[in-house]
C-alpha cells in the first residue's frame, strides 16, 4: 500500500469524506485528494496530525514498519537519541527509500520530506529535528514559489501574445471595452476606439468573435474622431473584440482590442459531488465487489451565484445524480436519507449508487459520479466527482483508484444521458 492508500483506508474506516478530513486538518479537499492519489506527500505537521487523528504511528502511514496499525507505539519523550533509536531510525529511512521508485532529479525533494518525517516517530525526537524541519519548509517554500512563478508565466503567455499583437499593429490612439451585462445565455459589451491617424471619409466597424461566429457591428462616429458601438452575443468561454478602420478607398485595417475568457464557465454553479467511499473498492471478474451500499453526496446544491444583475441557483427538481462509465449513463442514483455512520455532512443530499450494475470492467474504463444540473436560467451542465479507473495487479486483482485525468467535461452534449444495454450494465 502507498502512503495515499493508507490515508484513504483510515479515512474510510472513520466514514469521513475528503472534505470532512480536510476540515479537521485545516486543509482543502483538493489537498486530501492529492495525498490519497500520491500526487503529493503531506507536510511534517500534517503527517503528525494524521497519526494522532487515526491512532496509528507515522511509520505505519509511510509503510515502513511491520507493526500492526492498531498497535500504539510507546516511545517516551527524550532530548537525546539512544544508540538503539539511532539504529532504528537509520533502518526505517533505508527501508523507506529503498522501496521508492527511481525518479528524475528534479523530483527528489518529496523523498527528502519522507526521510525527515520518518525521523519523528517519537514525540521527543521532534525538538532534535526542528532545525532540519525548518530547513525543509524553507526549501519547500522556495520550490512552491518557483512553481507558482512558472505557472504564472505560462498562464500569462496568451495575454502577452495579445499585447505583442496590439503593439505590432497599434492603429489606435485610445481604446476601451466594457462588459455591460450577461444573463447566462448572452453577454453585452460596449466598445470604443480612437484611430491614431484619422482621415476624411474614414469609417469603422467592430468585430465580436465568440468562437461560434463573427458579428460585424457598425460603429457610431463621435466627436474627436472616436468610434463606438454596443453588441450582444451568445455567451461562450472566449470572446474576442476588435475594431476595423475602413479608409475611403475601402482599405481595412484591424486592431485587436480585448479577449474575455471563462465568462460562461464562471457563470455556472460549482456544485460539489463526492463519492469518496468508492475509492479502493475491489474488482473481481470485471465486477465491483459490493459488501454494502455506496453513496454519492452533493453539497450546497441550493447555493446561488450572481450572473450579471441576476441571482442564479439550482432549479427546483433541477438535479440528477448518476453513475457514468466513459461518460455514458449506467443508471441514475436515487435520493435517500443520510445513512447512519455518516457525520458532519451539513447542507448535503445523499444518493444511493447503483454500483452493482457495473460489469465487464477493464483498465480502459473511467467511472465517475456526475450530476446533471439545471439552473434557474434553464441552462444544463455537468458537475462531477474525481473520476476512477480500475488498477489491476499482476495477479489479476483489481480495485478502483483515482484517475490521472481529473477533469470534468461540463458540456452535457458530450455525455450519453440515457442508459442502454450496450453500456455493459447488468439487468436490475
Amino acid at each position: 500500500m502507498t502512503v495515499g492508500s493508507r490515508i484513504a483506508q483510515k479515512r474510510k474506516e472513520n466514514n469521513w469524506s475528503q472534505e470532512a478530513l480536510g476540515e479537521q486538518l485545516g486543509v482543502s479537499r483538493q489537498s486530501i485528494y492529492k495525498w490519497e492519489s500520491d500526487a503529493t506527500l503531506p507536510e511534517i505537521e500534517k503527517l503528525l496530525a494524521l497519526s494522532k487523528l487515526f491512532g496509528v504511528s507515522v511509520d505505519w502511514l509511510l509503510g515502513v514498519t511491520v507493526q500492526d496499525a492498531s498497535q500504539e507505539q510507546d516511545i517516551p519523550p527524550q532530548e537525546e537519541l539512544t544508540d538503539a533509536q539511532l539504529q532504528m531510525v537509520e533502518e526505517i529511512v533505508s527501508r523507506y527509500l529503498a522501496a521508492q521508485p527511481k525518479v528524475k532529479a528534479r523530483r527528489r525533494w518529496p523523498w527528502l520530506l519522507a526521510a525527515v518525517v520518518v525521523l519523528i516517530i517519537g514525540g521527543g525526537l521532534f525538538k532534535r529535528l526542528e532545525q532540519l524541519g525548518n530547513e525543509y519548509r524553507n526549501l519547500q517554500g522556495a520550490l512552491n514559489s518557483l512553481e507558482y512563478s512558472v505557472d504564472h508565466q505560462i498562464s500569462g503567455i496568451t495575454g502577452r501574445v495579445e499585447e505583442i499583437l496590439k503593439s505590432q499593429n497599434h492603429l489606435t490612439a485610445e481604446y476601451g471595452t466594457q462588459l455591460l451585462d450577461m444573463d447566462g445565455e448572452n453577454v453585452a459589451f460596449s466598445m470604443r476606439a480612437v484611430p491614431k491617424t484619422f482621415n476624411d471619409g474614414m469609417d469603422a466597424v467592430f468585430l465580436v468573435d465568440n468562437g461560434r461566429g463573427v458579428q460585424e457591428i457598425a460603429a457610431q462616429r463621435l466627436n474627436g474622431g472616436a468610434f463606438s458601438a454596443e453588441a450582444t452575443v451568445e455567451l461562450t468561454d472566449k470572446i474576442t473584440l476588435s475594431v476595423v478602420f475602413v479608409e475611403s478607398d475601402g482599405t481595412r485595417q484591424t486592431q485587436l482590442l480585448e479577449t474575455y475568457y471563462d465568462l460562461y464557465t464562471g457563470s455556472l454553479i460549482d456544485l460539489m459531488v463526492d463519492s469518496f467511499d468508492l475509492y479502493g473498492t475491489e474488482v473481481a471478474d470485471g465486477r465491483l465487489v459490493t459488501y454494502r451500499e455506496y453513496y454519492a453526496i452533493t453539497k450546497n446544491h441550493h447555493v446561488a451565484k450572481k450572473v450579471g444583475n441576476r441571482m442564479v441557483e439550482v432549479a427546483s427538481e433541477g438535479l440528477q445524480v448518476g453513475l457514468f462509465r466513459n461518460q455514458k449513463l449506467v443508471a441514475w442514483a436515487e435520493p435517500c436519507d443520510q445513512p447512519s455512520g455518516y457525520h458532519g455532512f451539513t447542507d448535503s443530499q445523499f444518493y444511493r449508487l447503483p454500483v452493482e450494475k457495473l460489469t465487464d470492467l477493464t483498465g480502459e474504463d473511467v467511472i465517475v459520479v456526475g450530476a446533471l444540473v439545471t439552473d434557474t436560467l434553464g441552462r444544463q451542465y455537468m458537475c462531477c466527482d474525481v473520476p476512477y479507473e480500475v488498477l489491476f495487479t499482476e495477479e489479476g486483482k483489481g480495485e478502483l483508484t483515482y484517475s490521472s485525468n481529473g477533469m470534468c467535461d461540463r458540456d452535457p452534449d458530450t455525455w450519453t444521458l440515457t442508459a442502454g444495454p450496450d453500456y455493459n450494465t447488468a439487468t436490475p
Side-chain angles (χ1 to χ4, degrees):
M1 294 176 65
T2 65
V3 175
S5 61
R6 288 172 183 266
I7 294 174
Q9 173 188 323
K10 302 307 293 184
R11 175 178 61 79
K12 289 189 289 183
E13 288 177 2
N14 287 277
N15 281 334
W16 293 331
S17 67
Q18 290 180 335
E19 184 178 35
L21 178 58
E23 289 176 353
Q24 296 184 70
L25 296 172
V27 299
S28 66
R29 174 176 177 263
Q30 288 75 16
S31 294
I32 302 298
Y33 162 67
K34 289 180 180 179
W35 295 349
E36 294 186 353
S37 59
D38 293 308
T40 62
L41 283 171
E43 296 178 350
I44 294 172
E45 293 84 351
K46 301 307 179 187
L47 270 168
L48 286 173
L50 285 166
S51 172
K52 295 178 181 178
L53 191 61
F54 293 150
V56 298
S57 61
V58 173
D59 53 334
W60 181 86
L61 283 173
L62 292 171
V64 294
T65 179
V66 296
Q67 178 187 21
D68 187 82
S70 63
Q71 297 176 346
E72 295 184 357
Q73 195 171 28
D74 185 14
I75 300 179
Q78 303 177 62
E79 292 298 330
E80 298 295 333
L81 297 176
T82 66
D83 291 340
Q85 288 171 336
L86 283 172
Q87 185 177 359
M88 177 186 67
V89 167
E90 181 179 355
E91 180 182 354
I92 291 173
V93 173
S94 300
R95 289 167 58 192
Y96 183 79
L97 294 179
Q100 307 309 312
K102 294 184 180 298
V103 295
K104 296 180 181 179
R106 66 183 180 89
R107 297 293 292 175
R108 287 178 181 169
W109 63 269
W111 313 126
L112 174 61
L113 167 61
V116 174
V117 170
V118 295
L119 293 176
I120 54 175
I121 301 171
L125 305 184
F126 184 75
K127 290 184 178 179
R128 181 181 178 89
L129 298 171
E130 184 176 2
Q131 182 178 2
L132 184 58
N134 289 335
E135 291 176 358
Y136 164 74
R137 284 189 289 273
N138 291 337
L139 174 61
Q140 185 183 45
L143 288 170
N144 289 340
S145 297
L146 178 61
E147 183 178 1
Y148 172 80
S149 177
V150 172
D151 290 343
H152 183 71
Q153 292 180 46
I154 292 175
S155 64
I157 287 177
T158 302
R160 292 200 301 274
V161 169
E162 291 182 359
E163 291 300 324
I164 292 172
L165 290 174
K166 292 176 184 179
S167 63
Q168 290 179 343
N169 187 29
H170 205 71
L171 306 175
T172 59
E174 176 188 348
Y175 69 88
T177 68
Q178 182 179 359
L179 193 158
L180 299 177
D181 190 22
M182 62 180 182
D183 60 9
E185 295 183 355
N186 301 299
V187 58
F189 297 97
S190 66
M191 299 160 286
R192 182 177 182 275
V194 179
K196 184 179 293 185
T197 302
F198 180 81
N199 300 314
D200 290 339
M202 176 182 283
D203 201 355
V205 295
F206 290 93
L207 304 180
V208 183
D209 183 358
N210 67 352
R212 298 179 180 176
V214 180
Q215 288 192 28
E216 185 169 301
I217 312 298
Q220 178 183 1
R221 183 173 173 179
L222 306 176
N223 294 332
F227 295 93
S228 70
E230 293 185 0
T232 300
V233 297
E234 182 184 357
L235 182 62
T236 63
D237 265 345
K238 182 179 179 182
I239 299 178
T240 301
L241 308 179
S242 305
V243 63
V244 181
F245 295 115
V246 184
E247 300 288 354
S248 57
D249 62 358
T251 303
R252 296 165 63 97
Q253 291 184 296
T254 303
Q255 169 73 54
L256 173 67
L257 300 180
E258 199 68 61
T259 300
Y260 289 82
Y261 294 96
D262 299 326
L263 290 180
Y264 178 76
T265 300
S267 72
L268 303 180
I269 295 173
D270 190 15
L271 179 75
M272 189 205 82
V273 182
D274 200 338
S275 58
F276 64 88
D277 57 352
L278 282 178
Y279 180 85
T281 302
E282 183 181 348
V283 177
D285 299 324
R287 286 179 175 267
L288 292 186
V289 179
T290 57
Y291 300 105
R292 57 185 175 85
E293 290 186 322
Y294 293 82
Y295 301 95
I297 307 165
T298 61
K299 185 171 184 179
N300 295 332
H301 56 280
H302 295 301
V303 67
K305 173 174 282 191
K306 188 172 184 180
V307 178
N309 297 320
R310 300 161 180 81
M311 295 302 297
V312 181
E313 60 183 345
V314 177
S316 176
E317 306 299 327
L319 183 62
Q320 290 179 280
V321 175
L323 183 66
F324 292 83
R325 175 179 185 167
N326 305 324
Q327 295 193 196
K328 296 180 179 180
L329 179 67
V330 174
W332 293 113
E334 293 294 330
C336 63
D337 295 332
Q338 180 170 326
S340 60
Y342 286 79
H343 306 288
F345 294 91
T346 57
D347 301 324
S348 298
Q349 172 65 52
F350 283 76
Y351 297 80
R352 187 175 292 105
L353 289 173
V355 296
E356 74 281 354
K357 294 191 175 185
L358 286 171
T359 64
D360 302 325
L361 289 170
T362 72
E364 302 299 320
D365 288 320
V366 176
I367 309 301
V368 67
V369 174
L372 176 64
V373 180
T374 304
D375 64 22
T376 50
L377 293 177
R379 303 178 301 175
Q380 288 192 322
Y381 44 89
M382 298 295 298
C383 292
C384 308
D385 189 19
V386 178
Y388 296 91
E389 58 188 21
V390 183
L391 178 65
F392 287 100
T393 65
E394 294 181 358
E395 295 77 18
K397 296 181 179 180
E399 67 175 18
L400 287 187
T401 186
Y402 293 124
S403 171
S404 58
N405 181 11
M407 301 300 292
C408 177
D409 189 343
R410 305 295 294 268
D411 185 0
D413 291 339
T414 64
W415 297 68
T416 300
L417 301 176
T418 303
D422 56 329
Y423 301 153
N424 292 325
T425 61
T427 302

